[in-house]
Amino acid sequence: MSELLWFFGVAACVKLLLIPSYHSTDFEVHRHWLALTHSLPLSKWYSDETSPWTLDYPPFFAYFERVLSIFANLIDTQIVHLQEGLNYSSDTVVLFQRITVILSDLCLLYGVYRLTKDLDSRRRISIWVLIIWSPMLVIVDHMHFQYNGFLLGLLLMSLSYLEEGRDLMGGFVFAVLLCFKHLFAVAAPVYFVYLLRHYCWGGFVRGFRRLSVLGAVVVAVFAAAYAPFVYHGQIQQVLHRMFPFGRGLCHAYWAPNFWTFYIILDKGLAFFLKKLGFAIQIPAASFTGGLVGDSSPFAILPQITPLTTFTMVLLALSPCLIKAWRDPRPGMITRWVAYAYTCGFLFGWHVHEKASLHFVIPLATVAVQNLDNARHYFLLSIVSCYSLFPLLFEAQEYPIKVLLLLLHSIIMWLAFSAQFTKEETAPIKKKVDQLEKRSSNATAKRGEGFVIGGVEKSYLVGLLAVEIWGQLLHPLLFGDKLSFVPLMLISIYSGLGIMYSWIWQLRWIIRSPNI
Amino acid sequence: MEKKRGRKVMEDKEEVAHKGIAASFLCIAVFAFLVRVAVSLHPYSGAGNPPKYGDFEAQRHWMEITLNLPPKEWYSNSTSNDLSYWGLDYPPLTAYQSYVHGLLLRFFHPEAVSLFASRGHESYLGKLLMRWTVLSSDALVFFPAVLYFIAVYYAGHSNGRKTDIAWHIAIMLLNPCLVLIDHGHFQYNCISLGLTVAAVAAVLSEKELLACFLFCLGLNHKQMTAYFAPAFFSHLLGKCLRRQNPLLEVSKLGLVVLGTFALVWWPYLHSMEAFLRVLARLAPFERGIFEDYVANFWCTTSVLIKWKKMFATESLKLFSLGATISSCLPSMVQQIWAPSSQGFLYGLLNSAFSFYMFSFQVHEKSILLPLLPATLLALEEPFLLKWITLNALFSMFPLLCRDKLVLPYIALSALFILICHHVPDRRQDRKETRSFNSFMTTFLVFCSVVLHGVYLTMDPPSRYPFLFEAVIMLLCFSQFMFLAFYSNAKQWMLLKHTILMDKEKKLL
């Protein structure tokens, strides 16, 4: 534990140093929520419209903000003032909010501790490095400003309980997590099937008793969260705020997912058909604007509704659900949950690029299991971290994000090399082997050690090219014109990597033998 | 056959060790650079504080001057160069460096360096570009110098453990004082100190001429590098005296020194007057024997003896010269008598300490100079390193408070303590004194933590507005004195050790 605290301490020092860095409007969002929960009675939390940043997280998060606001009030009363606090950005409020994020990461620390306490030291350190020093968390939480570390800590805790076989606790923590942030609900089908089969199955009486215990626990958690709002007759309003389907299919900056390719395909088709002489009406609504009205934004391809995305997520999930039903194994649960979040990320409605954290962080524990997984994770974590780059667009933070990613890649490389040169390497897929042989690398020929294949290598080099294009060549060649192209390129290129990761995970899940 | 295989194994091992050093250096260097960039987000000295601003404005002003005026006018007072407003008072190499950086600034942001109009210039881009000039200097000078030193220092001991080496690299690259002063407060110490480290590495690898060249460059970047001059001089002299033809060796070194100086001072060598004018700028005796509250001998004793009032500057100059020379004499004698690599490193520490304690016009930041050899000796003297770093940090606390750098101060101190926590402690012979030691250190650490808190939260009594600074200074001074005595004693003990070794060899 003290070693783990050392890793945490080093990370905390860097996070402290990053306090004056750029923060997005999410900072003001959370500041406003502090003021909102502090100065209004509970019945008005979800109906207040003083600021455009209305409360749209589930009640537990609102309670969390309420607790923080007590301390905020002690430090500086202006932070929690509903009107005077608007866009308040003095040093005290920045310091206070940043430090709450750093401290709330203790939850992540505990989650990692629980998840790794039975592993051997080399694997354990690898996981710590991958999660505690994750550049994605630093970028999203400590610069852009959010509380993901804390929420992911809850997820890891839940997974650790499930892996230990303490299903009830796992389900309980997951229910709590859902009441903090409902975006985590994508994995709920996996949890449902797994808990039903692993915890409740076996004998009618025993099964029924366990099912009712589990149900009672979940209902109790949800009651604790939502009952006060039901009592005040606010539940409709709460749900309305939490599920704003009025937003478009894609966020202002396209998350690197399936829909990016869909839009590009549509634009490309429209362009070519128009050249060929067809009368195509190109809709006025722009995807880069973020908000899309009722009219279909697509010229050729059918419109996508929330229901379509929902069905696609479920469809993509189904192989995993079938596996979980047939053979509910605790050792596979992390992989399944991560896969569920990957599906949600790829096919979901209005997905943020930050949501890639939901599967990259849990997959770190899978990565250390064998060489093949490590190779996949190496690629995935670099790509998904890179896809977060547009979050920090100011010149001051540019070296920081680049260095964070570089440091992460180097450490990851060193950790995996150290781990896999000493161990017996797992059987490597033939295809990868051939690729390595072709590159006639001395270490690759031996077939051991951490080496990535040629395709992966060239993909990562391509990433560098995309970055150089966006930062250097595009402004030189086009100036300010077509300024959306570099961002689009990042989305598309990282989208390829994430699609690859999705297929890789899916194949691994399907191929895993039933016992 | 056996031998061949053995050699092969050795080579393999060496290769692995080298690969290990390179990998860990790369990793730590990227992390250290990240820390530097993060520190550079914080305010610089004198930010938003007209009319004089601070060191940041000084450096920017030098860029403005060197960029817009011919070299001959850089050091002379004129209508276009008002020396009373941050006049250039560092040697010519600093001026050239300012010129190069000025070019960079002019390319991206011409307003930041335009003559007259840019005074007190402060902008987002201006700050960023200035910060990047320090960052790039650090990456181009200090980092390679550290790599060079580590490669040379551990080339001899093939049994050096990988974690030891990594730890040593981390200590050198993440020295909190240097990072805070260069990337927080804003200075270019990384260049002169980097050149010094490279010179030390060159001495250790027996490349004396290169060492002289590098050290002279360092000296010409910041005159404070002269704190190390006695150690370099005595060690190189001692070495030369042991060679076949001492006079030739010494004159070779002398020629290199003179040549380097001539090269750097070229624009000012055409007349005696120009030369003296620059020299006068470099030695600002009118600024008094000490500044602010520096934890050295003159400042601390001035609580009791009012040096500045009792004596004229002329006699104070003599006093300080005498005290400095006599205090670094023992260490010099040791090195001339028996030059050794280890003794040289201690000598660097001792001469820097004596300059810090007794020389003229010392300020808080000068503690960086004794700190540097302490980091070079980190693996031999982990306790010394820890203690001197913590005290040096503390002695600069009032300065950093004024610069609004308390947050990075806390973060970097914590980081340093965390790294020290992993100290590879290989000594067993200190057990007897440990209980006493640990009691004293705990007590002193407790005192300094309390003082930090008091300094931050309480107002001093109106009769003694600088009471807290004085207390901090006293505490740090006592520790520095103790450490200086200790390291002098250590250097002389090396001699005893070598004599014993020699005797044993003879007996065998």
Side-chain angles (χ1 to χ4, degrees), chain A residues 122 416-425 448-450, chain B residues 162:
Chain A
R122 203 176 274 279
F416 287 152
S417 314
Q419 190 183 333
F420 292 113
T421 41
K422 302 245 165 98
E423 278 178 24
E424 282 294 307
T425 48
E448 60 177 50
F450 182 73
Chain B
K162 215 173 125 184

Side-chain angles (χ1 to χ4, degrees), chain A residues 339-463:
Chain A
Y339 175 73
Y341 287 128
T342 315
C343 295
F345 181 80
L346 276 181
F347 302 109
W349 181 262
H350 195 83
V351 173
H352 283 235
E353 63 282 17
K354 294 156 242 166
S356 54
L357 275 171
H358 296 182
F359 55 92
V360 176
I361 296 294
L363 275 177
T365 61
V366 175
V368 297
Q369 284 174 5
N370 63 40
L371 189 58
D372 211 15
N373 284 312
R375 281 197 189 124
H376 160 253
Y377 189 77
F378 184 77
L379 192 78
L380 171 69
S381 78
I382 290 180
V383 172
S384 45
C385 180
Y386 179 69
S387 73
L388 295 177
F389 271 23
L391 280 179
L392 306 172
F393 50 85
E394 287 189 17
Q396 185 177 241
E397 282 76 22
Y398 187 76
I400 297 181
K401 62 184 182 185
V402 173
L403 285 169
L404 277 171
L405 178 56
L406 192 65
L407 183 66
H408 180 65
S409 323
I410 295 173
I411 292 182
M412 198 158 45
W413 182 273
L414 290 179
F416 287 152
S417 314
Q419 190 183 333
F420 292 113
T421 41
K422 302 245 165 98
E423 278 178 24
E424 282 294 307
T425 48
I428 307 157
K429 275 179 286 164
K430 272 182 189 165
K431 209 175 169 189
V432 180
D433 231 351
Q434 275 171 359
L435 274 171
E436 278 169 3
K437 268 181 190 155
R438 222 172 288 157
S439 67
S440 72
N441 198 321
T443 39
K445 262 184 193 165
R446 265 182 248 156
E448 60 177 50
F450 182 73
V451 179
I452 57 167
V455 178
E456 284 93 335
K457 233 178 248 170
S458 39
Y459 179 77
L460 290 178
V461 172
L463 212 63

Side-chain angles (χ1 to χ4, degrees), chain A residues 6 9 13 17 20 394 396 400, chain B residues 27 33 37 41-42 124 128 411 418:
Chain A
W6 188 85
C13 289
L17 286 175
E394 287 189 17
Q396 185 177 241
I400 297 181
Chain B
C27 188
F33 201 67
V37 179
L41 297 173
H42 292 262
Y124 178 82
L128 208 61
L418 282 172

Side-chain angles (χ1 to χ4, degrees), chain A residues 16 39 80 110 118 120 139 174 252 258 308 328 332 362 445 451 498:
Chain A
L16 275 178
S39 22
V80 291
Y110 182 67
D118 298 325
D120 59 289
I139 288 175
F174 186 68
F258 176 77
T308 330
M332 287 294 282
K445 262 184 193 165
V451 179
I498 305 231

Side-chain angles (χ1 to χ4, degrees), chain B residues 137-180:
Chain B
S137 318
D138 217 342
L140 291 175
V141 181
F142 193 72
F143 282 52
V146 169
L147 181 61
Y148 181 30
F149 174 80
I150 291 287
V152 169
Y153 193 62
Y154 289 100
H157 342 171
S158 55
N159 55 348
R161 283 190 304 145
K162 215 173 125 184
T163 44
D164 284 3
I165 299 175
W167 183 79
H168 199 174
I169 298 171
I171 285 292
M172 289 190 73
L173 290 183
L174 287 166
N175 177 356
C177 302
L178 181 60
V179 176
L180 280 171

